[in-house]
Structure formats: C-alpha cells, structure tokens
Amino acid sequence: MPAFLVRAAPLSCLCLLLAACGKPAAPQGGGRGNAPQAVEVQTVALRDWQDTLRALGTVRAREAVTVTAKVSETVQAVHFESGQEVAKGAPLVTLTGQQQQAALASAQAQARDAEAQYRRLEQLAGQQLVARSALDTARANRDAAQAQVAQIRANLADRVIRAPFSGVLGIRQVSPGALVTPGTAIATLDDISRVFVDFPVPETELAGVVPGQALEGRASAWPGRSFPGRVATVSARLEAATRAATVRGEFANPERLLKPGMLVEVTLVRATRPALVVPELAVQQVGTETFVWRVKEDDSVEKADVVVGGRIPGWVMLKQGIAAGERIVTQGTGKLQPGAKITPVAPASAPAAAAK
C-alpha cells in the first residue's frame, strides 16, 4: 500500500467521527418536530342532555308527635295497642277524674241556682219591684257560675287523651294505674300514609332542581322495589358547612313500607337541556387537573382546562373551558404534548345520542 494512503486513513476516520458527533439526535415520539400523529378528532356541538342526580335521604313522617298528658293524674284506662292505626280524635288514654266529676256536679248545681235567681229578678225588674243593680249582680253571678262549669269540663276533657290526627301508634309506654305528669311519653303517633324524604343537593346543582320534578326512591329494606315521588320544596337556606340545600321529596306510602328514619337513595331525573357533550375518553384527569386536547387551526394541539358538569356512561357534559365549534381529540391522546402536530381522523362511527 502506498505510504500516503497509510497516512490518510487515520485522518479520514477522525473526520467521520467528528461528523457523527455533530449530527442531531433523532427526535423522540410525541415531541415537537415529529411526524404528525394520527388521532380521532371531533367537533364539539350542543346536544340534548339529560342526566340524573343521586343522593341519600332520610324518611320523615308527614305528621309526627309524641303523645303526652297535660296534667298529673293516674291512668284509668288505655284504649290502644302498640302499632295500632287510629283515626283523628280517637281516645287513647283516660285518666282518673273523680275529683273533677264531683266539682263539676257542684258547679252545675250552683249554675242552675244562679240562673233561677236571675230569672226571678228579671221578672221583678220588669215590674220595677227591684233595683236595676240587683239584676246586674244576679246576671254576673249566673255568668260566673257558667264559666266555672266550662272550666271544670275543660279539665275533665284533658283527662281523656285523644289522637290529634290519624296515624300509626308506636310502642305503648304506660299501663293502667301508672302516674303520668305533663311531658310523660304515652306513645308516638306518625302519619305515614304519605312520607317526606329530605336529602342534600350541592349549591352547584340547585339550578336544575324545582318543585314538581319526578323522583325515584329505593330502600335497602325493600330490594327490587322503587317508590315514585316528586320534589315538594327546596330549602331557602344552605348549610354553611356543606354549601348544600335540603330538598324535601314527597312519596305516597299506602303500604306503610317507608318508615321514619329509614335511609333512602333518591334519584332525580333532570329536564332535557342543550349542553356541550363529549366522549368520556376525551376528558383527561391528571391529579387535580381536568382537560381536553384542543386542536388549533394549524393542526397542533393544546391543553384546554375544563369543568365537568355531569356524567353518564360513555359521555361527559362540560360546563366551562371549551366552546361549540372547536375541535378536540377523542382517541389517541396518550402520547400528545402541547404543540404536537396531528393528522385528524374522523371517528370510526357517528356518536350516539348523549341524552338518556
């Protein structure tokens, strides 16, 4: 081999090595300068949206009271059994009242005598045989005697404890011969022919809750059963701690299956309304960040922070962050980075209706 070729070989190798070191590295997938990535793209549009609101509520009786006595007295008779259904005004307990009966008889006798004296003086006054003042005194005595009779009768009435409304009685708490005082519990009385269910609704969802809306209730005590109802009222105040308002639902309860204190899962179907609805796979959740990949005019992508307003299987309703007419990536979001170029591909099939 000629000598000049031997001397040139190391120099050629050195040049090739320097050229290789100066060559830029091949770009990694997903960054700027890559070949555009093929992804499915969809244009955001308004669609009919109907979702449901679920909450746990507590059953309350339409009317509820603890039956008590107004006076201190001994129980003479009990006229009901535990769990009995009673009508309004039905006697529940009779208290001993011999002393009041005797006082009533005495007061009635005095009232009859006062009435007779007044009648006699009235006749004499018509003949001008007695002074007018005597007649006025007799009238006052008669009225006082009648008032005394009415008072004793009211006391006797308090010794018969009656149901203030129709309903179902709870466990009996007294027996004949027991001494009761004002405030002594005799039994509970609940009207559960119709019941209320109170449940909380966050302030962000209150705009979609109005009286008259349909409800559906389910209780674990009755698996497989659903109870139809309606929204009766929405509380005028919110709880400061939870920022939620109490909504009261009303349910017919002819079989008395729903009982006060029972836990009920309430489902409220909200009215159909137009909303921005996107496929569920398009919405990304990373930590506390919720976003979609928005496609710009040059077919590059950027993050768009969004606020989710509701979900149904396969679909998400967006309240903020995106506008109708904008394009978003619905499939192939895994390797995207801000500014990455894409090749838009239409979805394989037309999206199904979002409203259910």
Side-chain angles (χ1 to χ4, degrees):
M1 178 181 297
F4 73 91
L5 290 179
V6 174
R7 288 194 298 269
L11 182 61
S12 299
C13 293
L14 178 61
C15 292
L16 290 174
L17 180 61
L18 291 175
C21 292
K23 185 178 180 180
Q28 299 298 318
R32 298 179 184 270
N34 291 345
Q37 181 177 342
V39 295
E40 290 188 4
V41 173
Q42 178 180 320
T43 300
V44 179
L46 290 174
R47 301 179 183 276
D48 287 340
W49 174 259
Q50 184 183 55
D51 58 349
T52 59
L53 180 67
R54 288 183 171 85
L56 289 177
T58 303
V59 177
R60 301 186 185 280
R62 185 170 178 268
E63 302 286 354
V65 70
T66 298
V67 181
T68 61
K70 294 182 180 180
V71 297
S72 297
E73 193 57 87
T74 303
V75 175
Q76 179 178 340
V78 179
H79 308 292
F80 71 94
E81 295 296 334
S82 299
Q84 181 179 340
E85 189 165 349
V86 295
K88 179 179 179 180
L92 303 179
V93 172
T94 299
L95 304 179
T96 303
Q98 288 88 348
Q99 183 178 357
Q100 285 70 30
Q101 290 287 357
L104 176 61
S106 175
Q108 287 175 332
Q110 293 178 9
R112 286 193 297 268
D113 181 62
E115 178 69 24
Q117 289 185 19
Y118 171 72
R119 295 300 179 189
R120 286 194 297 270
L121 289 176
E122 186 179 34
Q123 293 176 358
L124 294 174
Q127 300 173 9
Q128 297 183 350
L129 297 177
V130 295
R132 196 71 185 176
S133 59
L135 180 62
D136 293 340
T137 301
R139 183 187 297 110
N141 292 337
R142 180 202 63 179
D143 293 344
Q146 291 176 348
Q148 183 67 17
V149 171
Q151 180 181 1
I152 296 174
R153 282 178 174 166
N155 289 336
L156 279 171
D158 289 341
R159 281 159 173 76
V160 179
I161 302 172
R162 300 180 182 274
F165 50 83
S166 299
V168 178
L169 292 162
I171 304 299
R172 192 178 78 175
Q173 303 292 334
V174 297
S175 299
L179 176 65
V180 297
T181 58
T184 299
I186 295 173
T188 58
L189 177 63
D190 297 291
D191 179 4
I192 57 174
S193 57
R194 300 186 70 84
V195 296
F196 296 128
V197 176
D198 293 346
F199 58 95
V201 173
E203 63 175 330
T204 55
E205 305 293 342
L206 282 178
V209 181
V210 295
Q213 278 184 287
L215 296 174
E216 182 183 81
R218 294 182 180 274
S220 58
W222 308 105
R225 291 286 302 268
S226 64
F227 302 90
R230 66 178 185 87
V231 175
T233 186
V234 180
S235 174
R237 295 185 179 184
L238 274 67
E239 293 290 337
T242 61
R243 300 298 178 190
T246 298
V247 177
R248 171 161 287 184
E250 185 176 8
F251 292 80
N253 193 31
E255 300 178 69
R256 311 300 195 264
L257 298 180
L258 297 177
K259 300 183 182 299
M262 188 176 287
L263 195 65
V264 173
E265 182 184 13
V266 178
T267 301
L268 185 150
V269 180
R270 292 189 276 194
T272 301
R273 58 199 186 278
L276 296 176
V277 183
V278 300
E280 191 173 23
L281 291 178
V283 181
Q284 306 295 299
Q285 183 76 46
V286 179
T288 59
E289 186 181 16
T290 303
F291 62 92
V292 297
W293 289 105
R294 178 163 46 203
V295 181
K296 298 193 290 186
E297 293 183 359
D298 61 353
D299 284 343
S300 64
V301 296
E302 63 179 357
K303 282 185 179 181
D305 293 329
V306 295
V307 176
V308 174
R311 295 176 183 268
I312 60 175
W315 298 94
V316 175
M317 187 268 281
L318 300 180
K319 296 174 66 175
Q320 296 178 16
I322 204 77
E326 293 183 324
R327 295 182 300 163
I328 63 170
V329 178
T330 58
Q331 288 278 5
T333 59
K335 296 182 179 180
L336 291 180
Q337 295 181 4
K341 293 286 187 176
I342 63 164
T343 299
V345 176
S349 59
K356 286 193 176 183

